[in-house]
Structures are given as C-alpha cells and as structure tokens.
Amino acid sequence: MNIFNTLQEQLQAILGDLQDQKVLPGGLDLSAVAVEPPRDKSHGDVAINAALVLAKKARLNPRELAGKIAQKLRQDQAVKAVDIVGPGFINVTFFNSFWQARVNEILKAGKKYGGSKIGKGEKVNIEYVSANPTGPLHVGHVRGAVFGDALANLLEKVGYKVTREYYINDTGAQIDILARSVHFRYREALGENIGDIPEGLYPGDYLKPVGQVLAKKYGEKFKNAPEEKWLAPFRDVAVPAMMALIKEDLGLLGIHHQVFSSETKMHSAGEILEAIDFLKEKGVIYQGVLEPPKGRKPEDWEPREQTLFRATDFGDDVDRPLVKSDGSYTYFAADIAYHYDKFKRGYLHQIDVLGADHGGYVKRLQAAVKALSDGQADLDVRLCQMVRLLRGGQPVKMGKRSGQFVTLREVVDEVGPGVVRFIMLTRKNDAQLDFDFDKVKEQSRDNPVFYVQYAHARAHSAFRKAAEYFPEKGLEIKALTGADAALLEDPSEIDLIKAMASWPRVVEAAALAHEPHRIAFYLYDLASEFHSLWNKGNDDPGLRFVIEGNQALTLARLSLVRALALVIAEGLELLGVEPLKEMR
RNA sequence: GCGCCCGUAGCUCAGUUGGAUAGAGCAUCGGAUUUCUAAUCCGGAGGCCGCAGGUUCGAAUCCUGCCGGGCGCGCCA
C-alpha cells in the first residue's frame, strides 16, 4: 500500500465533507492538492498543501481552512499530531505504531511490495537498442539498452502491459556495406589472400564466420561474380548473423526483446505505401518545395519538388520529405509506417529510446504519431546522452575510423553485468555519464553499486548471525511476520521504516516520469539509512539486530531487516541487477 | 540563423513535476573499530541554484529576454 495515496483519499473525503457543509464551494478543482513527504524531517511525516491551494477560491484564510481540515484529520487513530505551520501547511505526524505496522505489511506483500495498478493494464510499446545490424554492440549502445530495459521493468511494476521491441534497420547503404565486407571474408574463406579490408568497409574479425558460412553455402559461385548477383543473398545471410551476435550481446546484460520488427518488411510489404495513403486521406501529404535552412551555407542546395508530410501542422519546425530523388522512400517514411504499425497493433502508449544525436528527430516522430492516430496515441522519445569511458580518470581512446570500439562484451566481461546496469542508471538519461573502469570496480561509498549491494549483503549477514543463536527458530518470512513490531522503538528504526514506506511512491513517480534513475538514487538513500542504523549497533550493542537471549526482540528487528532486504532486492531487480547475499 | 537538451558547493551530480531553512557523494578538517562485515558510521566547513525581468500565498522548478556549453538542421540510417 502507498500511504500517501491512502491519505490522499482520506483527504479527498474530508474535502468532500467540507463541501457538503458549505465550508468549501462545490465544484472545486482539487487536482493541485498534494500529499507528500516533507523535505525536512522536523515537519512531520506528511505535508498537505490543501489549505494553501484552496483558500483563495474558498475565500477563506488559509490557516483557518487548514484548521478545519486538521480537525478532521485528528480523528484518525493513527494520527499523533496535526500541526498548522507557516502560511498554512498541514503537517501530519503518525504514532510509532502506525509505522511499526508497515513492516508486516511489507513482509506480507513480499515481491509485490511497491507495485501498483496505475497502468490499468494498458499496452505500452517500448522500443530500444535498435542498433544497426552491422556488428556487435559497443559501449555506445549500452546505455540505451539498460535504460530501456529498466524502464520496461518499471512500467510492468505499476501495471502496464509492456512490449519490448527492437527495430532492425536492415536496409540501406550500411547494409550494402556489410554485404560487401562479408564478400571479402567469403573470398578469404575460399583461400584467397585478401590483404587489408578496404577503407569504408567493416574490418572486424566477427565477419569471418559469416564468410565461412557463405563459402560453404555457395562455394565459388560468387567469387568473381558482379556485385548485383551476390549483394542480396549476402545481405540475407549477414543480417541474421549480425542479429544473432547482437542478441547474444544483449543476453550478457539480461536483455531480451519480445518483438523484432524489420525495416525491410515495411518496404516490401507495402506498409509504407499504406501509411502514406492513410495520411493522404487526412490531407497532410503534398508535393512541395522546401526552403533551404537559414544561416548555413546552402552550397549544394537545389530547390526540388518532393513528397512532403505536413509535420508543421503537428508541432514540427518544417515539413518532412518522404521520397528520395531516386524514387525510394526516406528513412522517415519507413519510420512513419513502423509507428503506424505499432498503433494498429494497439499501442496507444509508445516509447522510443534513442541516442542524443537523434534529438532533431523527435518532433517529426511525434508529429507522425499524432497525425496517424488522430491524437489518440502518445509517443515519448527518451534521449540517452553519451557515455564517456574512463580508466583511472583518463579517457579511453577509441579509434573510430579503424572500427576499434570498446565492445559491450568487453565492458561486461571486465566489470560484470550488474555493475554496468546500475552505473548506467546513476545519471538522468539526458545527462552525460562518466564510466570509469577503476571507479566502478572500487568497493567503497564512492561506488553506489557496492554501497547498495553491501547493505543487502549486511542484511543477510545478520540473518546468518541470528541462525547461530536461534537455530531452532525459523527466520524465514513466515516466522518473522509473527514478530512483535512494537519492539521497534529506536528513532533510527522508525526512520528506516519511513524510508521503506515511501518505496511505492518512488516507483510510481519514476514510472510515470519514465525515469528509472530515481530507483537507483532511492536505493542509495535507503542503503545509507540502513548502514547508519547498523553502525548504531556498533556504538550501542543494545541496538544490534541479533540480541542473544532475547528472541522476541531479535525477531522483531530481523523482521525489519528482512523488509529492508526485500525492498533493496526488489529495487535492484527492477534495475536488472542481481542482489548479492555475500560480498567477501 | 532556427530547433531540442543543459547550466545547482572546489569536483561529480540529486532535487519527489510549484512547497517551508536548496541536498548527497568526492575532496578537505575532526571523531568512532576487543564488529551482527569499519567495504561502514557521526560531526564541521563549503551556495547570487548562469544573469535580468515576469507569473503567485510560495520559483532551482513555469513564462520572456540575454550569457555560456552540447546535439541536430532536404533526398544518412
């Protein structure tokens, strides 16, 4: 349960009563009324702004209105105090017993704790990675991959029906380059000395196996044949081979898409034509000439009449071309068809995760979705900024021309999947991120992954310790739910419970904002709260979790620790990180 | 020239979608270890939230204009 939502409902009922009693006018807009944790702990447990928000419309003094609301709030037995502070804030403080009851609630909810149904089972399509199938994934792809996957988890947690999708850009110039590169490897596999792979082609060794497959399949048939003979069949072998590589790479991070959509299919199945016809009927396609972009030297600019989508009607800056001068469709035309396809498959919520260099692409995509769905569907485009790879504070050099990227596999092999995933989510997606190999392997407070994992491991350490003293007593959740939570009296213990009580609210807010990094920050704060409590036990042995000879107190405290471990584990799993029970 | 993102402590960044006296970590200074794992904790110091206006009970957050940085700008994908 989300205590803030519960209180919000209570408050709405109170405001309804006040309206019935003509204290407040009817038909008030209550949407701005917020129930939230105050920043400052001295301001109680929950802050309510209702009086401030409503006073003007009700023509009342805010403090006076606050008094009327407060009076009703005080009738709740869990409420210890209701204070009216400053201009009219209502601060609610609960009895310890209210917080103590939360522990059992968390244990009973188990893995479901923090989940909700605000998604109402609605379908969401989240498209991420979508790297060109020309080679293995490199670091540049990792952030979007992790971000998209964590966001998918998060949306599922709050009750959306999520589809993880990958759009395969399996056509166009770079795929032809792939096929040509593979042709060299094919000749190599036939025993020819090919020397260096020419400039402009993909030089990577990962294409050698593809060459061998082709050699086995076609023998010498295409060895000296003209390109138009072999280009298509080589593409048909190379692309699936690259997709297999990519899926394998993603698997290293625990990422598995459910749907793979092909750009080629958009072209060949006439889906582009269908989408454009559909838009034509709506009158948003026309033949026209674009103005050259201002300010830049339009050296090779020639005015040209082309087929345009009236994107400016839907918030874009200029209308966008759909057909190239050679008569084929633009990438954008295929993308329109693809998003139309998603709409037809019933996705009214669509999310695209793209690199920040695609920022200029966002408006036209949203314009397209708006046009295609008559405004029924929404598209959120999340842009992931670059990751700077460092080693000991120094940038890792990557020869872009030689194709010597640091691969996803290399990164995962060196630091492990959990570390990669967590660190990628320690920044907002649109902020640049430093990834320092040395730092992320460090085992200190500097390193948020270890800090959080260590808290989880410490919790399990307490269970192990308890098992020494109370071997006969089950310490599993079932036994702990019978513990007497009233024994949890220390302010630090109550603080820890409060932190855990806000977990559902954090999950909900992170999901709605499409910001999984909030989970990482929350976990860090929660871990900090736990480490603090742990250390109190060092200073004052009476505050340790395991108290020899006092089984009741030990059980109560272990129930708290168990709840903590549950929340951290669930948070880590949302991020796709495996919680560790031991870190020695 | 236009559009999007960004500007918060010396450094790296949060800031609960408009709340109260702006918070963490690093670095710095001082303290806690016969430990349920000190891989941790407690405390001090550190701020014109880029600048200037505006909106209102209330602005780091919303609006406008500047300054500074990043990305992008017809037939690449």
Side-chain angles (χ1 to χ4, degrees):
Chain A
M1 113 175 175
N2 183 334
I3 59 160
F4 299 98
N5 287 353
T6 309
L7 200 61
Q8 172 77 262
E9 284 163 23
Q10 260 183 57
L11 181 62
Q12 295 290 339
I14 288 172
L15 294 174
D17 286 351
L18 290 175
Q19 284 179 320
D20 292 345
Q21 295 163 19
K22 308 288 181 200
V23 176
L24 285 172
L28 268 185
D29 176 18
L30 303 178
S31 60
V33 173
V35 174
E36 39 192 27
R39 242 173 223 173
D40 193 328
K41 278 181 181 171
S42 68
H43 292 141
D45 297 324
V46 178
I48 297 169
N49 66 355
L52 290 165
V53 175
L54 302 175
K56 198 171 216 180
K57 288 168 190 158
R59 292 186 188 165
L60 285 170
N61 176 314
R63 289 190 64 104
E64 192 182 323
L65 175 57
K68 296 195 159 126
I69 297 170
Q71 200 181 352
K72 296 199 179 256
L73 283 170
R74 286 195 187 97
Q75 289 166 12
D76 188 323
Q77 292 190 341
V79 170
K80 182 181 181 186
V82 181
D83 300 309
I84 297 156
V85 192
F89 283 104
I90 302 168
N91 292 338
V92 180
T93 306
F94 293 107
F95 284 111
N96 275 359
S97 57
F98 173 79
W99 296 113
Q100 287 154 350
R102 304 281 77 80
V103 176
N104 232 323
E105 200 173 79
I106 294 168
L107 294 180
K108 281 182 180 152
K111 289 182 72 69
K112 287 184 185 158
Y113 182 59
S116 73
K117 293 183 177 160
I118 50 170
K120 293 176 281 190
E122 289 170 16
K123 289 170 74 175
V124 181
N125 184 289
I126 170 159
E127 180 212 324
Y128 58 110
V129 188
S130 298
N132 293 336
T134 55
L137 296 177
H138 54 83
V139 266
H141 301 114
V142 175
R143 192 172 187 184
V146 170
F147 175 88
D149 205 51
L151 179 54
N153 291 345
L154 199 47
L155 291 171
E156 271 172 352
K157 181 88 177 167
V158 299
Y160 285 97
K161 195 166 181 304
V162 179
T163 300
R164 296 140 205 263
E165 188 149 334
Y166 188 120
Y167 183 52
I168 311 172
N169 300 128
D170 49 4
T171 184
Q174 90 281 1
I175 296 299
D176 289 344
I177 292 172
L178 173 71
R180 288 186 197 110
S181 310
V182 161
H183 190 259
F184 274 86
R185 295 303 184 185
Y186 158 73
R187 284 162 46 201
E188 185 181 43
L190 290 173
E192 193 175 325
N193 184 359
I194 56 165
D196 287 341
I197 303 287
E199 186 89 6
L201 298 185
Y202 299 115
D205 288 346
Y206 57 85
L207 291 178
K208 284 183 181 173
V210 185
Q212 281 159 5
V213 166
L214 287 166
K216 196 168 280 177
K217 185 170 182 184
Y218 293 114
E220 308 233 330
K221 186 176 172 191
F222 292 124
K223 196 173 173 188
N224 297 306
E227 183 177 294
E228 59 267 27
K229 295 284 187 195
W230 51 257
L231 201 60
F234 275 38
R235 275 193 307 235
D236 292 347
V237 171
V239 169
M242 293 304 102
M243 282 311 296
L245 270 187
I246 288 170
K247 287 179 192 177
E248 210 179 298
D249 284 349
L250 290 172
L252 296 174
L253 284 171
I255 295 172
H256 305 280
H257 292 80
Q258 288 132 14
V259 177
F260 290 82
S261 290
S262 153
E263 183 187 357
T264 303
K265 202 178 146 204
M266 293 295 143
H267 289 270
S268 58
E271 304 213 18
I272 297 180
L273 195 63
E274 186 195 331
I276 291 180
D277 281 346
F278 182 70
L279 288 176
K280 263 184 192 158
E281 281 172 34
K282 295 182 187 292
V284 295
I285 304 284
Y286 69 103
Q287 296 293 317
V289 181
L290 285 176
E291 294 283 313
K294 287 169 185 166
R296 291 168 79 243
K297 302 155 204 163
E299 285 165 16
D300 54 347
W301 178 273
E302 291 170 35
R304 185 172 281 130
E305 190 180 85
Q306 48 195 343
T307 306
L308 298 168
F309 165 54
R310 211 178 284 282
T312 47
D313 280 6
F314 304 93
D316 200 358
D317 311 306
V318 284
D319 293 338
R320 304 293 178 176
L322 301 176
V323 182
K324 298 185 207 170
S325 53
D326 68 359
S328 64
Y329 292 112
T330 59
Y331 181 79
F332 180 51
D335 232 354
I336 289 181
Y338 175 46
H339 286 83
Y340 184 44
D341 178 62
K342 289 195 231 182
F343 175 63
K344 285 189 295 183
R345 281 187 275 141
Y347 295 106
L348 299 184
H349 305 298
Q350 301 182 10
I351 301 172
D352 289 359
V353 179
L354 302 175
D357 53 341
H358 290 71
Y361 203 68
V362 175
K363 280 190 182 179
R364 84 190 65 169
L365 277 177
Q366 288 175 326
V369 170
K370 212 179 282 180
L372 287 166
S373 69
D374 286 318
Q376 287 178 62
D378 53 72
L379 168 69
D380 185 20
V381 181
R382 308 305 290 184
L383 301 174
C384 288
Q385 261 293 352
M386 286 187 47
V387 175
R388 259 199 329 167
L389 269 192
L390 305 172
R391 200 178 279 281
Q394 295 303 311
V396 175
K397 283 177 188 162
M398 284 183 277
K400 285 178 187 170
R401 284 182 193 162
S402 61
Q404 295 204 329
F405 294 104
V406 175
T407 63
L408 176 148
R409 180 180 290 272
E410 286 169 321
V411 178
V412 174
D413 281 352
E414 183 167 343
V415 307
V419 170
V420 173
R421 292 195 57 132
F422 195 102
I423 296 292
M424 288 295 159
L425 295 166
T426 52
R427 287 290 106 98
K428 239 181 340 200
N429 58 289
D430 54 10
Q432 207 185 75
L433 170 77
D434 287 349
F435 186 96
D436 192 319
F437 280 102
D438 294 327
K439 208 152 231 174
V440 302
K441 286 189 289 187
E442 200 174 295
Q443 308 197 343
S444 72
R445 184 163 194 167
D446 268 20
N447 182 350
V449 199
F450 275 90
Y451 190 71
V452 172
Q453 288 283 23
Y454 184 40
H456 187 260
R458 270 185 150 178
H460 281 270
S461 167
F463 300 144
R464 288 190 291 270
K465 186 76 187 173
E468 291 174 22
Y469 289 106
F470 307 105
E472 77 287 356
K473 181 78 182 181
L475 297 168
E476 288 311 305
I477 289 178
K478 203 175 171 188
L480 294 175
T481 51
D484 181 8
L487 298 172
L488 302 170
E489 291 176 304
D490 191 82
S492 290
E493 293 173 330
I494 301 295
D495 280 350
L496 183 61
I497 299 172
K498 288 178 185 175
M500 293 192 285
S502 68
W503 170 238
R505 177 186 160 84
V506 170
V507 173
E508 190 177 308
L512 291 176
H514 296 172
E515 290 184 351
H517 75 277
R518 294 193 194 190
I519 303 298
F521 280 94
Y522 169 82
L523 290 177
Y524 186 84
D525 289 342
L526 185 62
S528 171
E529 204 83 51
F530 183 63
H531 286 307
S532 176
L533 178 59
W534 181 288
N535 252 76
K536 279 201 165 187
N538 282 345
D539 298 337
D540 174 4
L543 275 177
R544 294 188 182 182
F545 301 125
V546 180
I547 305 288
E548 197 179 351
N550 192 339
Q551 188 159 314
L553 185 57
T554 301
L555 274 183
R557 289 192 174 155
L558 286 180
S559 70
L560 176 66
V561 177
R562 177 63 75 181
L564 179 276
L566 255 169
V567 175
I568 289 193
E570 185 53 26
L572 286 174
E573 273 163 26
L574 270 186
L575 304 183
V577 180
E578 190 194 347
L580 302 176
K581 292 183 178 174
E582 213 169 350
M583 296 189 70
R584 287 194 193 277

